[in-house]
Amino acid sequence: MTVYSEAERHRIIRDALKHRPFATVRDLLDLLAVSPATVRRDIAKLHEDGKIRKVFGGIALPEHAESERVHARPFEENRVLNVAVKQAIAIEAEKLCRDGDTIIVNGGTTCYIFARLLATRALTVFTNSMPVAATLWESGVCHLVVGGGELHREPGVLFTPNAPENEFYASKFFVSAQGIGPEGLMESHPLMSRLIDDLARRADEVVVLVDASKFAIRARHSVIPLSRISTLITDSNLTDIDAKMLADEGVDVIIVDGNTSA
């Protein structure tokens, strides 16, 4: 069995993020063949030095490197990042729902956490997201309506481009995004861009659920303009510049604690 020095372990840990944005602790244990305590010490040291970012369940790229990425992470990778902040955002989003409401919930990990809070509510929920539909089916009593179509595995949605439009309308559309800026909500996946645009036209209000890191990401497709957003829920790491941008477009902003660790 190869025994690595600390410097070699740190290089291997950093190399684990060269071709993917997230690695689990189990991944690192398999790569290094050392004790969990050693891996935790290495992660803590690299995190302090700004070489990697410690997240719930593993490691991710540093914030400065993450902001340069323009492609979407798979759902399973994204669901373990910024978990506590996403939960706080989801709790605030649930407060906007009244029993008897008909709502649309899009895909994404923040919306998935939000949907879990809705499971026992007296609501009608429409979704094209397989993870959202699955959690509402397994543990929910709400009235669930699932959009039909082909399964697109990476974003985890059901959608057929040439299918007849769903005759479903709602008071609110809850949606997250890959990025957000002056152009509005942004996605790199063209399918998600079309799907979100279609669902937004079926709701009276658009409610956006994004952590503040999304304001540093620029994806290639603009989906919904800021002026179409009624409410945006984010965390306290929102910059003054981005807060002013939202205020100028008349977006009602709800802030949760952004310093909660996962």
Side-chain angles (χ1 to χ4, degrees):
M1 183 178 67
T2 303
V3 178
Y4 298 106
S5 68
E6 180 181 275
E8 289 173 327
R9 293 198 308 273
H10 288 188
R11 176 185 57 78
I12 292 170
I13 291 172
R14 294 180 65 186
D15 285 348
L17 296 176
K18 280 189 174 180
H19 303 293
R20 53 182 172 173
F22 174 78
T24 67
V25 171
R26 172 52 58 187
D27 292 335
L28 301 181
L29 289 172
D30 291 341
L31 286 172
L32 300 170
V34 295
S35 69
T38 299
V39 168
R40 286 195 294 270
R41 286 196 298 270
D42 288 339
I43 289 174
K45 180 66 165 59
L46 289 169
H47 177 80
E48 289 174 4
D49 293 343
K51 302 298 178 60
I52 58 101
R53 182 159 49 100
K54 182 170 62 173
V55 298
F56 183 82
I59 61 172
L61 290 169
E63 292 287 356
H64 64 83
E66 184 66 24
S67 67
E68 296 171 0
R69 298 175 64 89
V70 296
H71 64 277
R73 287 184 294 262
F75 179 86
E76 288 302 321
E77 290 180 2
N78 203 19
R79 71 187 296 180
V80 297
L81 301 179
N82 299 329
V83 175
V85 170
K86 292 175 181 179
Q87 289 174 334
I89 290 172
I91 289 170
E92 288 301 316
E94 188 197 8
K95 296 176 183 178
L96 300 180
C97 299
R98 298 174 298 180
D99 286 347
D101 277 353
T102 296
I103 64 173
I104 300 172
V105 180
N106 194 48
T109 56
T110 306
C111 283
Y112 171 80
I113 294 170
F114 166 60
R116 293 175 63 182
L117 299 179
L118 304 179
T120 58
R121 295 285 305 274
L123 301 166
T124 297
V125 181
F126 177 94
T127 187
N128 285 77
S129 166
M130 285 293 290
V132 169
T135 195
L136 291 177
W137 167 66
E138 290 174 348
S139 58
V141 296
C142 63
H143 183 197
L144 174 63
V145 182
V146 180
E150 303 171 13
L151 172 61
H152 299 264
R153 294 185 181 277
E154 182 182 342
V157 297
L158 295 166
F159 185 67
T160 300
N162 298 319
E165 292 189 352
N166 294 304
E167 294 299 322
F168 189 93
Y169 298 92
S171 59
K172 294 181 180 68
F173 172 38
F174 292 88
V175 59
S176 54
Q178 185 185 350
I180 184 169
E183 303 87 355
L185 298 192
M186 292 174 284
E187 292 283 346
S188 61
H189 200 303
L191 171 64
M192 293 303 296
S193 300
R194 178 168 178 179
L195 177 60
I196 291 172
D197 176 69
D198 176 70
L199 294 176
R201 289 186 286 108
R202 302 177 182 284
D204 297 329
E205 300 178 32
V206 174
V207 181
V208 176
L209 315 180
V210 289
D211 63 78
S213 68
K214 299 298 180 67
F215 287 84
I217 298 175
R218 295 294 180 267
R220 63 176 62 95
H221 299 291
S222 178
V223 183
I224 301 176
L226 295 178
S227 59
R228 178 68 178 88
I229 301 171
S230 302
T231 304
L232 183 142
I233 308 176
T234 189
D235 62 79
S236 54
N237 293 311
L238 181 71
T239 67
D240 292 341
I241 292 175
D242 289 329
K244 183 178 185 304
M245 174 184 70
L246 296 171
D248 289 345
E249 293 293 339
V251 180
D252 183 17
V253 179
I254 298 173
I255 302 291
V256 304
D257 184 7
N259 299 311
T260 307
S261 59

